[in-house]
Amino acid sequence: MHNNTAISELIEAGKWISQQGWVPATGGNFSARTNTSFVVTASGFDKGQLGTHTFIELDHQGNRQAGAAKPSAETELHLSMYKLIPTANFVLHTHSVAATVLSRIIKGHSLNLQGYEMQKSLRGVTSHLDILSIPIFDNDQNIDRLSLLVSDHHLHTPIEHGVLIRGHGLYVVGRDIREVRRQLEGLEFLFSCELERLKFSGQQAEVTL
Amino acid sequence: MHNNTAISELIEAGKWISQQGWVPATGGNFSARTNTSFVVTASGFDKGQLGTHTFIELDHQGNRQAGAAKPSAETELHLSMYKLIPTANFVLHTHSVAATVLSRIIKGHSLNLQGYEMQKSLRGVTSHLDILSIPIFDNDQNIDRLSLLVSDHHLHTPIEHGVLIRGHGLYVVGRDIREVRRQLEGLEFLFSCELERLKFSGQQAEVTL
Amino acid sequence: MHNNTAISELIEAGKWISQQGWVPATGGNFSARTNTSFVVTASGFDKGQLGTHTFIELDHQGNRQAGAAKPSAETELHLSMYKLIPTANFVLHTHSVAATVLSRIIKGHSLNLQGYEMQKSLRGVTSHLDILSIPIFDNDQNIDRLSLLVSDHHLHTPIEHGVLIRGHGLYVVGRDIREVRRQLEGLEFLFSCELERLKFSGQQAEVTL
Amino acid sequence: MHNNTAISELIEAGKWISQQGWVPATGGNFSARTNTSFVVTASGFDKGQLGTHTFIELDHQGNRQAGAAKPSAETELHLSMYKLIPTANFVLHTHSVAATVLSRIIKGHSLNLQGYEMQKSLRGVTSHLDILSIPIFDNDQNIDRLSLLVSDHHLHTPIEHGVLIRGHGLYVVGRDIREVRRQLEGLEFLFSCELERLKFSGQQAEVTL
């Protein structure tokens, strides 16, 4: 994939994601792995109104190759995801109310979803009886330390679709733009359902397998 | 009804249903009974951006007559609905947060709604004092088995407006596109109301008649 | 006000009300008192897509003067509101999730709101310390009987802004289209707030003064 | 900043804020400090459809310089915010369901937010571990008295981003239009999250530090 193609796809995706309310207050950041390197959104822009000037090109070591703007503080975490998951070509990081709240009320180290047909919108999931497990990491302003934690976790429990950062948001990956958008939409639907369902459980401990 | 008319109606309905957020992540599928056979949406497409190439034509035995795309996995359940309900000419299958969650928190075999004026948006309901009963079936990845279950249930308790699949979504039928859209909108409104109302009940058992 | 002016205002109001989700599944109906008589929406139309043919003209006795369509079943209640409240020139009847649910979980005969600045969007309310009281009537498919109940209630407790019908929706009045729209929007905001607030009360009895 | 620039920015901001549902029923008001004086929205207009005629120009003493319309009743509170916070050049006052309800269910004198990455959308906040404290004042129809209360509070606890008025809404400030919009969006996101999170706490006392 050429840089320009990746950037076009992310500009379009940004408009849709912004309409959903998942990147408020210039929050969130998006990236893609291209045939030469990486492209990542610059810091501080409205993700619903991205343009070519709001992207930065990085080389494989994460050094800026092109783009005058400041890279997102969370670029390191994007690069970690690409290193850990060789098939990932897109990473979308979003802030929804459901992801933020759910990652706080679940006290354990993962959100475990079961019983939802929509789980099948995630690559490799074939039944609602499967347990779809999304790891939850405590938030950390030190992104290098957070990235290491994610990498360490991956050694014993491979990350497949994405991760939640507690009180912060979701990182979701995909092989192409269609897959990453579908997985984002599927996960956000599941988060909304689970947040509603837990209001009726009275037993939050039960849901952290 | 000609195939082309049915397809046009479903394309329009899909735009509206997608805007409501009831077919996220390429979920859901739609069909119609036409004067020659059936048309049904193909698998894997965004239901808010359907086109003529995203439909498949089936004969009365459910064999593909036209359309290169893969039929939806849940086609069998659509065909069962047409067989059981002779007046049904449209079937819409949707995934809303309210339908998904409500079908999980109600542990019984039906959602029984009473006391809502909006029940009258469903064919044949003339009073809020009537009990509107929507059967709930446990989800099953084996669609043939699920279809049989629905058919067996229909023998003793005829299905009138649609069914809920637990943790999955709604199948709603209608004589024409106006009726099926009105019934979908009415049911989704009722699901949203009931989900809110149950938050105040503290007695969920009471609501499964 | 001429009939044509009233109809134009109601067509515009209908688009906005439909976008808010307050008239789903062809629900709701709207009317105006004009310098010759009354105009009221016909039954069965989408209130977001009204046209001149979807209105009926009634004389002061409620008899149809013009318009081929079927008058709304709830026309009688509109006419009662105009009789009771001489300054009312518009009546909007809507079905929102918040109005429907709130009127069911409050078991008493009125919704009493206090402590909200938004109460001041209702004519005559000058402080959040005032108690804004909206009567709640049990729903009844016999509209004549329901209208009588409303009229009887008005004798001892004059209706000022509107009434709630339990599990059904809101009737709101206004002197002109701006006032009725503002009062509808203000009340719906208050209903949404109160429904959320009551989730934290644990004491529903306390809120029915 | 010229008056005309400030007015243009506020007209644009008003459209967006109205779409978010944060200024229902002609509620809310907006203002800016310009290089000659202040501009503030007139009372009674829909804040999503502002025009140059819906603004009033005030001098530094708060006296009307230009504009025939009636100034907002809450103008005094806007002027107080500018006096207290020398870097504030915009003040937006909004009414959202979340701000209204949250300011009522929190019984203490401030909303204290911690553990949210989104806190960093507020100027000067660098970590989710910081406590972001937004003062809550009891609502008062006497705006002079309310303004004095805010000013007195500021003497011992400087207001940085804005204040909540109980059951009423939010006042948020910013150095420029981008900052005030980002801070409004960030705070509203945080209010929505916190309102949801508290539904799971069962211990509301705990959250008022």
Side-chain angles (χ1 to χ4, degrees):
Chain A
M1 183 171 48
H2 284 287
N3 285 355
N4 288 349
T5 308
I7 287 171
S8 295
E9 301 281 29
L10 290 174
I11 289 172
E12 275 308 299
K15 287 179 195 164
W16 169 71
I17 293 169
S18 175
Q19 284 163 0
Q20 310 298 312
W22 299 337
V23 283
T26 77
N29 35 71
F30 312 145
S31 68
R33 183 185 341 235
T34 64
N35 50 13
T36 58
S37 60
F38 299 103
V39 291
V40 60
T41 46
S43 185
F45 290 97
D46 180 341
K47 301 307 179 294
Q49 300 187 321
L50 295 172
T52 48
H53 65 291
T54 63
F55 284 87
I56 295 147
E57 190 183 328
L58 304 175
D59 67 15
H60 289 88
Q61 282 68 47
N63 299 314
R64 189 189 322 194
Q65 294 293 96
K70 188 184 160 204
S72 161
E74 286 148 339
T75 297
E76 194 58 46
L77 198 41
H78 284 252
L79 297 178
S80 293
M81 300 295 276
Y82 290 116
K83 199 175 291 177
L84 300 177
I85 307 171
T87 57
N89 290 316
F90 282 95
V91 176
L92 303 178
H93 168 46
T94 52
H95 299 241
S96 72
V97 169
T100 302
V101 176
L102 203 54
S103 64
R104 288 193 65 164
I105 62 172
I106 305 280
K107 304 300 184 192
H109 295 301
S110 61
L111 169 67
N112 299 295
L113 299 162
Q114 194 181 26
Y116 293 109
E117 178 73 8
M118 190 56 76
Q119 294 171 226
K120 289 166 63 188
S121 65
L122 283 295
R123 170 172 283 274
V125 181
T126 57
S127 170
H128 64 288
L129 298 175
D130 292 357
I131 293 173
L132 172 64
S133 188
I134 307 291
I136 307 177
F137 297 92
D138 284 339
N139 195 13
D140 194 330
Q141 296 305 321
N142 184 327
I143 298 293
D144 288 351
R145 194 163 55 198
L146 183 55
S147 299
L148 270 177
L149 213 64
V150 171
S151 300
D152 282 356
H153 175 93
H154 184 76
L155 291 178
H156 59 81
T157 311
I159 293 162
E160 289 183 77
H161 309 103
V163 302
L164 282 164
I165 310 297
R166 202 178 313 279
H168 183 152
L170 172 71
Y171 282 81
V172 60
V173 304
R175 296 179 182 218
D176 51 43
I177 193 72
R178 276 188 67 215
E179 183 174 284
V180 76
R181 284 178 64 157
R182 193 189 69 232
Q183 299 203 145
L184 170 59
E185 197 172 12
L187 283 171
E188 285 295 343
F189 178 86
L190 290 166
F191 296 162
S192 293
C193 286
E194 192 67 359
L195 194 64
E196 283 295 278
R197 193 182 73 81
L198 290 177
K199 287 174 187 165
F200 294 89
S201 79
Q203 291 154 290
Q204 294 167 40
E206 144 199 27
V207 298
T208 53
L209 300 186
Chain B
M1 184 170 47
H2 285 288
N3 284 355
N4 288 348
T5 308
I7 287 172
S8 295
E9 302 281 29
L10 291 174
I11 289 173
E12 274 310 298
K15 286 179 195 163
W16 169 71
I17 293 169
S18 175
Q19 283 163 1
Q20 310 298 312
W22 299 336
V23 282
T26 77
N29 35 70
F30 312 146
S31 67
R33 184 189 335 238
T34 64
N35 49 13
T36 57
S37 60
F38 299 103
V39 291
V40 59
T41 46
S43 184
F45 290 96
D46 180 342
K47 300 307 178 295
Q49 301 187 321
L50 294 172
T52 49
H53 65 292
T54 63
F55 284 88
I56 295 147
E57 190 184 329
L58 304 175
D59 66 16
H60 289 89
Q61 283 68 47
N63 299 313
R64 190 189 321 195
Q65 296 293 95
K70 189 183 159 203
S72 161
E74 285 148 339
T75 297
E76 193 59 43
L77 199 40
H78 284 252
L79 296 178
S80 293
M81 302 293 277
Y82 290 117
K83 199 175 291 177
L84 300 177
I85 308 171
T87 56
N89 290 315
F90 280 95
V91 176
L92 302 178
H93 168 45
T94 51
H95 299 242
S96 73
V97 169
T100 302
V101 176
L102 202 54
S103 63
R104 288 194 64 163
I105 62 173
I106 305 281
K107 303 300 185 194
H109 294 301
S110 61
L111 170 67
N112 299 294
L113 299 162
Q114 193 180 28
Y116 292 109
E117 178 73 9
M118 188 56 75
Q119 294 170 227
K120 289 166 62 188
S121 64
L122 282 296
R123 171 172 283 274
V125 182
T126 57
S127 170
H128 64 288
L129 298 175
D130 293 355
I131 292 173
L132 172 65
S133 189
I134 307 291
I136 308 177
F137 296 93
D138 284 338
N139 195 14
D140 194 330
Q141 295 305 320
N142 185 328
I143 298 293
D144 287 351
R145 195 162 54 197
L146 184 55
S147 299
L148 271 178
L149 213 64
V150 171
S151 301
D152 282 355
H153 175 93
H154 185 76
L155 291 179
H156 59 81
T157 313
I159 293 162
E160 289 182 76
H161 310 102
V163 302
L164 281 165
I165 310 297
R166 204 178 309 281
H168 183 151
L170 172 71
Y171 282 81
V172 60
V173 305
R175 297 180 181 218
D176 51 43
I177 193 72
R178 278 188 67 215
E179 183 175 283
V180 75
R181 285 178 62 157
R182 192 190 69 232
Q183 299 203 146
L184 170 60
E185 198 171 12
L187 283 172
E188 285 295 342
F189 178 85
L190 290 166
F191 296 162
S192 293
C193 286
E194 191 67 359
L195 193 65
E196 282 296 278
R197 193 183 73 83
L198 290 178
K199 288 175 186 165
F200 294 89
S201 79
Q203 290 154 290
Q204 295 167 38
E206 143 200 26
V207 297
T208 53
L209 300 187
Chain C
M1 183 169 48
H2 285 287
N3 284 356
N4 287 349
T5 308
I7 287 172
S8 295
E9 301 283 27
L10 290 174
I11 290 172
E12 273 310 298
K15 286 179 195 163
W16 169 72
I17 293 169
S18 175
Q19 283 164 2
Q20 310 298 311
W22 300 335
V23 283
T26 76
N29 35 70
F30 312 145
S31 68
R33 182 185 342 234
T34 65
N35 50 14
T36 57
S37 60
F38 299 103
V39 291
V40 60
T41 46
S43 185
F45 290 96
D46 180 341
K47 302 305 178 295
Q49 301 187 322
L50 294 172
T52 48
H53 65 293
T54 63
F55 285 88
I56 295 148
E57 191 183 327
L58 304 174
D59 67 15
H60 288 88
Q61 283 68 48
N63 299 313
R64 190 189 319 194
Q65 296 294 95
K70 187 184 158 201
S72 162
E74 286 148 339
T75 298
E76 194 58 43
L77 199 40
H78 284 253
L79 297 178
S80 294
M81 302 293 277
Y82 289 117
K83 199 174 291 177
L84 301 177
I85 308 170
T87 57
N89 290 315
F90 281 95
V91 176
L92 302 177
H93 168 45
T94 51
H95 299 240
S96 72
V97 169
T100 302
V101 176
L102 203 53
S103 64
R104 289 192 64 163
I105 62 172
I106 305 281
K107 304 299 184 193
H109 294 301
S110 61
L111 170 68
N112 298 294
L113 298 161
Q114 192 179 29
Y116 293 109
E117 178 73 9
M118 189 57 75
Q119 294 170 226
K120 289 166 61 189
S121 65
L122 283 296
R123 170 172 283 273
V125 181
T126 57
S127 170
H128 64 288
L129 298 174
D130 293 356
I131 292 174
L132 172 64
S133 189
I134 307 291
I136 308 177
F137 296 93
D138 284 337
N139 196 13
D140 195 330
Q141 296 305 321
N142 185 327
I143 299 293
D144 287 352
R145 193 164 55 198
L146 184 55
S147 299
L148 271 178
L149 213 65
V150 171
S151 300
D152 282 355
H153 175 94
H154 185 77
L155 291 178
H156 59 81
T157 312
I159 293 162
E160 289 183 76
H161 309 102
V163 302
L164 281 165
I165 310 298
R166 204 178 311 279
H168 184 150
L170 172 71
Y171 282 80
V172 61
V173 305
R175 297 178 183 221
D176 52 43
I177 193 72
R178 275 187 68 215
E179 184 175 282
V180 75
R181 285 178 62 156
R182 192 190 70 233
Q183 298 203 148
L184 171 59
E185 197 171 13
L187 283 172
E188 285 295 342
F189 178 86
L190 290 166
F191 297 162
S192 293
C193 286
E194 191 67 358
L195 193 65
E196 282 295 278
R197 194 184 72 81
L198 290 178
K199 288 175 187 165
F200 295 89
S201 78
Q203 290 154 291
Q204 295 167 40
E206 145 199 25
V207 298
T208 53
L209 300 187
Chain D
M1 184 170 48
H2 284 287
N3 284 356
N4 288 349
T5 308
I7 287 171
S8 295
E9 301 282 28
L10 290 174
I11 289 172
E12 274 308 299
K15 286 179 196 165
W16 169 72
I17 292 168
S18 176
Q19 283 162 1
Q20 310 298 311
W22 299 336
V23 283
T26 76
N29 36 69
F30 312 145
S31 67
R33 183 188 336 238
T34 64
N35 50 14
T36 58
S37 61
F38 298 103
V39 291
V40 61
T41 46
S43 185
F45 290 96
D46 180 341
K47 302 305 177 297
Q49 301 187 321
L50 295 171
T52 49
H53 65 292
T54 62
F55 284 88
I56 295 147
E57 190 183 329
L58 304 174
D59 67 15
H60 289 89
Q61 282 69 47
N63 299 313
R64 190 188 323 193
Q65 294 294 95
K70 188 184 159 203
S72 162
E74 286 148 338
T75 298
E76 194 58 44
L77 199 40
H78 285 253
L79 297 178
S80 293
M81 301 294 277
Y82 290 117
K83 199 175 290 179
L84 300 177
I85 309 171
T87 57
N89 289 316
F90 282 94
V91 176
L92 303 178
H93 168 45
T94 51
H95 299 242
S96 72
V97 169
T100 302
V101 176
L102 203 54
S103 65
R104 288 192 66 163
I105 62 173
I106 305 280
K107 304 299 184 192
H109 295 301
S110 61
L111 169 68
N112 298 294
L113 298 161
Q114 193 179 29
Y116 293 109
E117 178 72 10
M118 189 57 75
Q119 295 170 224
K120 291 166 61 187
S121 65
L122 283 297
R123 171 172 284 275
V125 181
T126 57
S127 170
H128 64 289
L129 298 175
D130 292 357
I131 292 173
L132 173 64
S133 188
I134 307 291
I136 307 177
F137 297 93
D138 285 338
N139 196 14
D140 195 329
Q141 296 305 322
N142 185 327
I143 298 293
D144 287 352
R145 193 164 56 198
L146 184 55
S147 298
L148 271 178
L149 213 65
V150 171
S151 300
D152 281 356
H153 175 92
H154 185 77
L155 290 178
H156 59 83
T157 312
I159 293 162
E160 289 182 77
H161 310 103
V163 303
L164 281 165
I165 311 298
R166 204 178 312 279
H168 183 152
L170 172 72
Y171 282 82
V172 60
V173 305
R175 298 181 181 218
D176 51 43
I177 193 72
R178 276 187 66 215
E179 184 174 283
V180 76
R181 286 178 62 156
R182 193 189 68 232
Q183 298 203 146
L184 170 59
E185 198 172 12
L187 283 172
E188 285 294 344
F189 178 86
L190 290 166
F191 297 162
S192 293
C193 287
E194 192 67 359
L195 193 65
E196 283 294 279
R197 192 182 75 80
L198 289 178
K199 288 175 186 165
F200 294 90
S201 78
Q203 290 154 291
Q204 294 166 41
E206 145 199 26
V207 298
T208 53
L209 300 186

